[in-house]
């Protein structure tokens, strides 16, 4: 006994088209294979929801279903009990729930004109990088569980569709003669069917295997970027192409360095006496420690630019700079002796501000940085 389509989506018979779409989107996201890897029950629910939505979102089919129930689609037209295949779901409805996952499956590659070649589904992972890894580039080894063709599996041209991946069905239903072209359910659209299926393999001759994939991440990537490792997604049955491994980049905040494009900013705090007498300071940059020299009489707000000590540019041309912002720390408390000293200096000419042309104002510096 087939489950009621309204029950599957959890809506009432009087639900509007918008309510049905919303309910389907919710179910599709809940049972999405990316969120439930290897869970056959979730996959079943995902397919059922798509099948229900396929009918209830089409006013014509919905009217027939409302009147005749599942009987309206028996006899070969529509689904004929075979259900929808994953590629059909993603190509038809991917845009409804796909945004939650950053795109749907790839579906078919479309090689060689008429002959369609199945493509395995993509896999998605996240990789979190430190600022140092972003700056210098890194090679990450990640464990991926992907579907591969099982050891010893063999395929033959599908007899049902003769390798085309599609079947045309003509059926006499109570509504009249109906002709539909659908994805071949024997081979799932691959054009090939399984010949010898080893134990442990699924209906497509695939089995899940854990594999360590090496991902070369170039320097200069940014948070939210996606890298593609071609061919490291799920394999397809027969001579199909494997899907891709999509790597979403996440970058961690750094304690002391702030990124701005390929440049890095660092706030350096120095004491009043270091500013007056000059000093030498060590900074933890992304490529290791850097020593900088502060001339006697350095002004608070000065920006020292260390060329090439920023992040290597993603396009391969050079590196950004490390901009060291000098902040002079003014003492908040003074002892009697110190206080007397500064009081004496109030009228001293050496302590009177005399900004020169080279001591640019804050606004001029900002302008410089972006020019
Ligand atoms: Zn077939």
């Amino acid at each position: 006994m087939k489950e009621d389509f309204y029950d599957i989506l959890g809506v009432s018979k009087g639900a509007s088209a918008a309510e049905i779409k919303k309910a389907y989107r919710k179910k599709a996201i809940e049972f999405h294979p990316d969120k439930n890897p290897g869970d056959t029950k979730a996959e079943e629910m995902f397919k059922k929801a798509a099948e229900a939505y396929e009918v209830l979102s089409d006013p014509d089919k919905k009217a027939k279903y409302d009147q005749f129930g599942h009987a309206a689609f028996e006899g070969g037209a529509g689904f004929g009990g075979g259900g929808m295949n994953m590629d059909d779901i993603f190509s038809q409805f991917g845009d409804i729930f796909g945004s939650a996952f950053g795109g749907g499956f790839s579906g078919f590659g479309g090689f060689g004109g008429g002959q369609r070649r199945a493509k395995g589904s993509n896999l998605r992972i996240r990789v979190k990088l430190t600022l140092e890894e972003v700056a210098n580039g890194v090679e990450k080894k990640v464990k991926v569980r992907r579907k591969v063709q099982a050891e010893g599996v063999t395929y033959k041209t599908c007899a049902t569709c003769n390798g085309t991946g599609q079947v045309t069905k003509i059926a006499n239903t109570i509504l009249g003669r109906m002709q539909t072209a659908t994805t071949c359910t024997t081979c799932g659209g691959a054009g090939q069917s399984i010949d010898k299926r080893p134990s442990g393999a699924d209906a497509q001759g695939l089995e899940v295997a854990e594999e360590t994939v090496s991902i070369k991440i170039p320097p200069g990537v940014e948070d939210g970027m996606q890298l593609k490792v071609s061919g490291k997604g799920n394999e397809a049955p027969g001579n199909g192409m494997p899907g891709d491994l999509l790597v979403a980049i996440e970058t961690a905040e750094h304690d002391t360095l702030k990124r701005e494009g390929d440049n890095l900013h660092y706030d350096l705090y120095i004491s009043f006496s270091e500013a007056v007498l000059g000093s030498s300071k060590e900074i933890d940059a992304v490529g290791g420690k850097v020593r900088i020299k502060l001339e006697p009489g350095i002004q608070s707000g000065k920006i020292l630019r260390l060329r090439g000590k920023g992040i290597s540019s993603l396009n391969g041309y050079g590196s950004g700079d490390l901009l060291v912002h000098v902040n002079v720390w003014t003492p908040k408390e003074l002892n009697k002796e110190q206080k007397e000293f500064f009081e004496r200096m109030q009228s001293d000419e050496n302590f009177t501000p005399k900004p020169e042309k080279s001591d640019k104002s804050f606004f001029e510096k900002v302008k410089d940085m972006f020019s």
Side-chain angles (χ1 to χ4, degrees), residues 131 254-268 283-286 302-306 309-311 320-327 362 365-366 368-370:
L131 188 66
H254 194 274
D255 286 345
T256 52
L257 295 166
K258 290 273 166 290
R259 180 178 183 182
E260 183 194 53
D262 289 338
N263 289 337
L264 293 172
H265 294 268
Y266 180 87
D267 262 318
L268 176 68
I283 291 167
D284 275 323
V286 285
K302 183 156 181 87
I303 298 169
L304 303 170
R305 184 184 283 263
L306 305 177
K309 297 289 183 191
I311 289 174
D321 303 329
L322 172 58
L323 298 146
V324 179
H325 300 249
V326 176
N327 300 278
F362 171 74
K365 279 178 195 150
V366 170
D368 269 8
M369 270 166 46
F370 291 101

Side-chain angles (χ1 to χ4, degrees), residues 19-82:
E19 284 169 332
I20 290 169
K21 185 171 177 176
K22 200 175 151 196
Y24 170 60
R25 187 180 139 81
K26 211 177 134 200
K27 293 279 176 199
I29 290 169
E30 185 184 347
F31 298 112
H32 195 286
D34 279 9
K35 265 177 88 175
N36 306 276
D39 185 345
T40 51
K41 223 170 187 170
E43 190 178 310
E44 203 45 52
M45 288 306 296
F46 185 74
K47 284 180 177 169
K48 271 188 186 172
E51 191 183 347
Y53 182 67
E54 214 267 349
V55 170
L56 299 184
S57 63
D58 181 327
D60 195 38
K61 286 181 183 167
K62 182 173 182 291
K64 285 171 190 164
Y65 177 74
D66 285 347
Q67 199 177 351
F68 302 108
H70 289 294
F73 304 99
E74 271 160 21
F79 305 106

Side-chain angles (χ1 to χ4, degrees), residues 157-167 184-193:
T157 301
C158 175
T160 311
C161 64
N162 281 321
T164 61
Q166 279 203 314
V167 282
C184 174
T185 51
T186 309
C187 62
Q192 290 192 311
S193 64

Side-chain angles (χ1 to χ4, degrees), residues 92-162:
Q92 275 189 61
F93 306 134
D95 55 328
I96 295 173
F97 54 81
S99 58
F101 296 89
F105 280 21
S106 311
F108 293 95
F111 282 81
Q115 180 76 26
R116 300 203 303 173
R117 206 172 155 199
K119 191 179 175 193
S121 52
N122 292 336
L123 289 172
R124 289 176 178 78
I125 54 158
R126 286 181 175 280
V127 166
K128 195 162 187 171
L129 305 177
T130 65
L131 188 66
E132 283 82 0
E133 289 172 329
V134 167
N136 305 310
V138 67
E139 188 169 345
K140 286 270 181 195
K141 291 199 190 318
V142 292
K143 278 194 178 148
V144 176
R145 286 171 60 77
R146 55 191 294 254
K147 283 185 183 176
V148 295
Q149 289 186 6
E151 183 82 32
V153 68
T154 54
Y155 298 92
K156 61 184 178 198
T157 301
C158 175
T160 311
C161 64
N162 281 321

